[in-house]
Amino acid sequence: MAIVKMQKISIAAAKKHRKAILEQLQDMGLMELHEEQIEDVDLERMDTQAARNNFERAAQTLDMALKLLKEYAPEKNAGLSLFSEKKLIPRSDFQAHDSRASGLLTKAQKLVNLEKEIHELGAANLKDRATISGLTPWMSLDIPMSTRGTAKTEVFIGTFPEDQSDEALIAGLTADLPADAPLDVNILARENRMVYVCLIAAKSISETLTENMRQMGFARPAVSCRRIPGDKIKSLEESIERRKRKIEENKKEMASYGSLRRDFYISADYYRSRALKYELLGKIPQTRHIFFLQGWVTDQSAEPLARLLSEKYGALVQREERNQDELEPTVLENPRIARPVEPILASYGLPTHGRFDPTKIMTFFYVIFFGMMLSDAGYGILVSLGTGLILLRHRRLEEGLRRMLQLFFMCGLSTTFWGFMYGGFFGNAIDTVASTFFGYQGDAILKPLWFEPLKDPMRLLIWCMLFGLIHLYTGLAIKGYETLKAHDVVGFISDILSWFMMLTGLVLMLLPSDLYGSIAGTAYQFPAWLVAFSKILAGGGALIILVMSGRSKKNWALRIALGAYDIYGVTGWLSDLLSYSRLLALGLATGVIANVINLMASMVGGGPLGLILFAVVFILGHSLNIGINLLGAYVHTNRLQYVEFFSKFYDGGGRAFQPFGRQYKYIQIKEDK
């Protein structure tokens, strides 16, 4: 049975056992809880929001600490692994973590604070470097930049635009001033298209001098200080060096936390699980002495769970009837070979209870069609070998990723099969290498076990149509199964059998026709009785559809009109059938592009240089080809399932089973022996 039978249960237990029961349910991960369904004016709920927020913040702090450890204390050989997998932790270690969690959180917070201090020190250094950069042109100034003068003098420190010489600058400043005017002009530097100056003048000429400076574009410095610039720069450089040393000390201290990585993994998931539990605690209805739970479990686990809770905690567990408007969660149960396709089905929509689960049938067609589209033995071997090695090396991958890799492993095997059937191994790579580097001029070395699509594409098109017809018939047959399961014999005859009759009759009428012969290059000669039978079959099916398709209507004219409209739906079947030509199109595209890559790689010819260029073009070209066509095969295989196959019988509508359990981001619990 592909869809697991579910049972709704309710639990009532003493409040003193609430924490223990919730932890038991969380560890077992068997029950989907729906506390909001229990409503009563005498029941109350705890306010656990503050505690939950604290646990979530703790988990986030530990997540940040682990992220910092990746940078400052990377794991050895971590770079050799393309996929991260969860750490295997004995349950006893996880349970004993309760007493250590607080201390580890303090250390994680210390790690985060050290990183924060590093950023603050770095920001301060950037600020000081900017100040040094602004003060550097004033290095030759031997008075503080904040100096404004004395009782009898005024000091002007600033810049002029650099588009004037020293002589022109002095001439502009002394304009309208007496020849013996008390003015000292010190040109300190020319940088950044500016002239840096220090002017010392008697107050008696300051008004005229200020007007001259304004007209010449004088500007006060953007950076100023109360000390001599050279002294200030030296002080800033010393501060920068002190901060650099402090940053290095912090980094070393952070690296020393690497030994706590495993404990941080456990602690992060510990707090994450606590947050989930307190979220639930805030929803549980309870009185002063009793609390209540309600939810879904699989039918086979209902009795063992009820026995455990009643014997261990004295809880009262009862089976409940499903409300009429309540949707049961869906749990799929399929053979191991079909489980990788379950996420593909779930992305479209899970089946509801009482409906047919197409996962096993879908797996067969999915793998076959994917292989026909990619259709190169070399590519298939690479896909299966790559995914197989990853699955062997990483045993604790995230479930969704693991299933996807398993799916591509099977699709790689199918691709290898169809590649040898079509005679494709990296296109015609074997023949190209033999002719380019060994002078081979004979027949093809790798001959197809079936036929070569590039030489006989119409033959492959006919087979694609046949596979498509089988696929569509299977979808219609599933709909017929569900109709009979609902004891609707009339509906089976009117909506299923009639279409089988009409479609099969039309196919049998097409095969001996000249149209089919011109397409396939061959024609079938049927005996007269079979020709007559095909016409009777098609006509009989069409007549049933015409009369019975609109059977819910009492008006016969309307019934016939609806029936005629449904017969017109045969064009939709033709459109669906033509969609399977993509099996031909993508298969040919893969082979043609692969052959073109091989031709380009061999254009230089043999010899050492030719071998090097051949290897470069071969690797780059086929890598690009396999990437593009892997994506194309995946997308179009999904489309054939979703649009053509599912449209015949499937409507989804189910929801996934989400049991209450621990949220493990980093670890996987290993049961103690």
Side-chain angles (χ1 to χ4, degrees):
M1 185 175 182
I3 301 180
V4 177
K5 184 179 179 182
M6 305 299 292
Q7 176 61 55
K8 185 178 180 182
I9 64 172
S10 61
I11 302 171
K15 196 173 179 179
K16 64 180 180 179
H17 297 308
R18 182 184 58 188
K19 178 180 177 182
I21 290 177
L22 287 180
E23 289 183 349
Q24 183 80 55
L25 292 174
Q26 195 173 28
D27 286 337
M28 297 175 72
L30 296 176
M31 186 175 180
E32 180 182 275
L33 298 171
H34 294 280
E35 312 76 21
E36 68 279 358
Q37 296 181 3
I38 305 175
E39 296 293 343
D40 192 300
V41 294
D42 295 326
L43 298 177
E44 58 183 20
R45 287 173 169 81
M46 292 176 57
D47 182 8
T48 61
Q49 187 63 43
R52 178 189 169 192
N53 290 341
N54 289 336
F55 291 135
E56 288 178 346
R57 281 195 295 269
Q60 291 169 1
T61 299
L62 286 154
D63 288 341
M64 179 61 69
L66 286 166
K67 184 178 179 180
L68 293 175
L69 287 181
K70 285 185 178 180
E71 179 180 356
Y72 295 103
E75 293 182 88
K76 293 181 179 179
N77 301 324
L80 301 178
S81 176
L82 297 177
F83 299 93
S84 60
E85 54 184 330
K86 296 180 178 180
K87 312 301 177 184
L88 196 61
I89 304 296
R91 182 171 293 279
S92 57
D93 286 8
F94 185 82
Q95 292 173 341
H97 202 74
D98 187 59
S99 60
R100 304 185 57 206
S102 178
L104 288 167
L105 177 60
T106 301
K107 293 180 180 179
Q109 187 62 60
K110 172 66 173 176
L111 192 62
V112 172
N113 291 340
L114 288 171
E115 169 70 2
K116 182 180 179 181
E117 186 178 10
I118 287 176
H119 282 296
E120 291 173 349
L121 293 171
N125 279 353
L126 287 175
K127 181 180 178 181
D128 284 356
R129 287 193 183 97
T131 303
I132 289 174
S133 178
L135 290 174
T136 299
W138 306 101
M139 281 284 290
S140 58
L141 184 65
D142 56 2
I143 61 174
M145 293 185 66
S146 59
T147 302
R148 291 292 180 265
T150 64
K152 297 183 179 181
T153 64
E154 285 199 35
V155 176
F156 301 93
I157 299 174
T159 60
F160 291 99
E162 197 184 25
D163 57 353
Q164 48 196 326
S165 63
D166 292 356
E167 294 76 10
L169 181 65
I170 294 173
L173 291 172
T174 56
D176 300 327
L177 291 177
D180 59 347
L183 172 65
D184 183 21
V185 180
N186 296 282
I187 299 177
L188 304 174
R190 287 178 175 269
E191 290 184 17
N192 305 320
R193 299 182 180 180
M194 304 294 292
V195 181
Y196 296 80
V197 301
C198 175
L199 307 177
I200 303 175
K203 287 189 174 181
S204 59
I205 64 170
S206 64
E207 185 175 346
T208 304
L209 179 62
T210 301
E211 179 60 24
N212 292 343
M213 291 165 56
R214 185 188 65 79
Q215 293 179 5
M216 297 174 67
F218 179 79
R220 293 287 183 181
V223 178
S224 182
C225 64
R226 297 181 179 275
R227 301 171 61 183
I228 296 175
D231 295 343
K232 180 64 174 179
I233 290 174
K234 182 178 179 181
S235 174
L236 291 174
E237 288 176 343
E238 291 174 352
S239 297
I240 289 174
E241 288 303 316
R242 284 196 301 271
R243 294 192 194 102
K244 283 183 178 180
R245 289 193 295 270
K246 180 58 177 175
I247 288 173
E248 291 303 316
E249 291 174 4
N250 283 11
K251 288 181 177 180
K252 289 181 181 179
E253 184 176 356
M254 293 172 74
S256 68
Y257 282 74
S259 59
L260 297 175
R261 180 181 281 104
R262 180 178 181 273
D263 292 328
F264 283 173
Y265 282 138
I266 301 174
S267 192
D269 281 345
Y270 167 82
Y271 280 113
R272 196 168 284 107
S273 295
R274 292 289 299 274
L276 186 63
K277 185 175 75 172
Y278 270 77
E279 178 184 6
L280 178 62
L281 275 173
K283 299 177 181 178
I284 292 177
Q286 56 193 349
T287 65
R288 292 183 60 188
H289 304 291
I290 304 293
F291 76 97
F292 303 91
L293 293 173
Q294 193 175 81
W296 293 93
V297 296
T298 60
D299 187 66
Q300 63 182 10
S301 63
E303 188 60 35
L305 179 62
R307 189 183 313 113
L308 172 67
L309 295 180
S310 61
E311 292 177 357
K312 192 172 182 179
Y313 305 106
L316 175 63
V317 182
Q318 291 184 336
R319 291 175 178 259
E320 300 285 345
E321 293 294 329
R322 179 177 67 90
N323 298 332
Q324 188 173 1
D325 58 346
E326 191 174 6
L327 184 63
E328 298 179 50
T330 298
V331 178
L332 300 180
E333 186 177 58
N334 287 294
R336 185 174 180 180
I337 194 172
R339 290 172 194 163
V341 184
E342 288 180 355
I344 304 293
L345 178 69
S347 66
Y348 184 87
L350 291 170
T352 55
H353 284 261
R355 301 301 298 274
F356 184 83
D357 175 18
T359 306
K360 287 182 284 189
I361 295 175
M362 179 182 167
T363 300
F364 173 78
F365 285 110
Y366 193 100
V367 173
I368 293 296
F369 290 161
F370 191 103
M372 292 182 70
M373 290 185 192
L374 195 55
S375 68
D376 187 282
Y379 294 174
I381 290 172
L382 285 181
V383 171
S384 290
L385 188 62
T387 54
L389 289 175
I390 293 172
L391 290 168
L392 285 175
R393 178 179 173 84
H394 303 278
R395 299 298 182 93
R396 296 181 297 278
L397 292 171
E398 189 272 326
E399 182 65 16
L401 176 59
R402 184 174 63 83
R403 291 196 179 190
M404 178 172 287
L405 291 172
Q406 290 173 340
L407 176 61
F408 275 97
F409 176 79
M410 295 190 299
C411 290
L413 295 179
S414 174
T415 301
T416 304
F417 169 79
W418 287 107
F420 284 122
M421 293 295 286
Y422 296 158
F425 187 85
F426 294 102
N428 59 352
I430 295 178
D431 294 335
T432 302
V433 170
S435 61
T436 304
F437 298 101
F438 301 99
Y440 179 77
Q441 299 297 328
D443 296 335
I445 298 173
L446 180 64
K447 294 181 172 60
L449 299 178
W450 190 15
F451 69 94
E452 188 175 349
L454 292 176
K455 294 181 178 179
D456 196 358
M458 296 310 299
R459 183 180 178 185
L460 180 58
L461 178 62
I462 297 300
W463 279 101
C464 291
M465 296 297 104
L466 176 59
F467 292 150
L469 188 62
I470 294 172
H471 197 213
L472 296 175
Y473 269 20
T474 303
L476 189 60
I478 294 173
K479 183 178 179 181
Y481 166 78
E482 291 193 326
T483 304
L484 288 176
K485 187 178 178 181
H487 307 292
D488 185 5
V489 178
V490 174
F492 175 78
I493 296 173
S494 303
D495 302 331
I496 308 300
L497 184 60
S498 60
W499 279 100
F500 271 118
M501 292 171 60
M502 186 174 74
L503 293 172
T504 305
L506 291 174
V507 171
L508 292 175
M509 291 169 62
L510 175 66
L511 292 178
S513 67
D514 293 338
L515 176 62
Y516 177 80
S518 64
I519 296 175
T522 183
Y524 294 96
Q525 296 296 327
F526 287 172
W529 69 266
L530 185 55
V531 174
F533 176 73
S534 64
K535 295 178 180 179
I536 294 172
L537 200 62
L543 181 61
I544 296 174
I545 295 171
L546 183 66
V547 175
M548 299 297 294
S549 183
R551 60 189 178 277
S552 62
K553 307 297 181 182
K554 294 183 179 181
N555 187 316
W556 273 93
L558 183 58
R559 288 180 63 172
I560 297 300
L562 290 173
Y565 180 78
D566 282 351
I567 290 176
Y568 180 73
V570 74
T571 58
W573 278 82
L574 178 60
S575 174
D576 289 344
L577 189 60
L578 290 175
S579 291
Y580 290 86
S581 62
R582 70 189 68 241
L583 298 174
L584 164 71
L586 270 75
L588 289 180
T590 304
V592 169
I593 296 174
N595 288 351
V596 171
I597 292 170
N598 295 335
L599 178 62
M600 294 172 59
S602 63
M603 291 179 69
V604 177
L609 178 61
L611 179 61
I612 294 173
L613 292 176
F614 183 92
V616 171
V617 175
F618 184 90
I619 293 173
L620 292 178
H622 284 289
S623 298
L624 181 62
N625 193 29
I626 191 174
I628 293 174
N629 285 287
L630 264 176
L631 178 61
Y634 176 76
V635 170
H636 289 286
T637 305
N638 284 348
R639 186 194 185 283
L640 289 177
Q641 309 302 321
Y642 292 161
V643 180
E644 278 71 38
F645 185 52
F646 283 176
S647 64
K648 299 298 177 286
F649 70 97
Y650 193 70
D651 53 13
R655 66 175 183 85
F657 178 58
Q658 297 178 328
F660 172 60
R662 296 192 183 275
Q663 289 187 350
Y664 296 130
K665 181 178 179 181
Y666 302 110
I667 68 173
Q668 179 177 324
I669 297 297
K670 178 180 70 174
E671 297 297 334
D672 297 320
K673 296 182 179 179

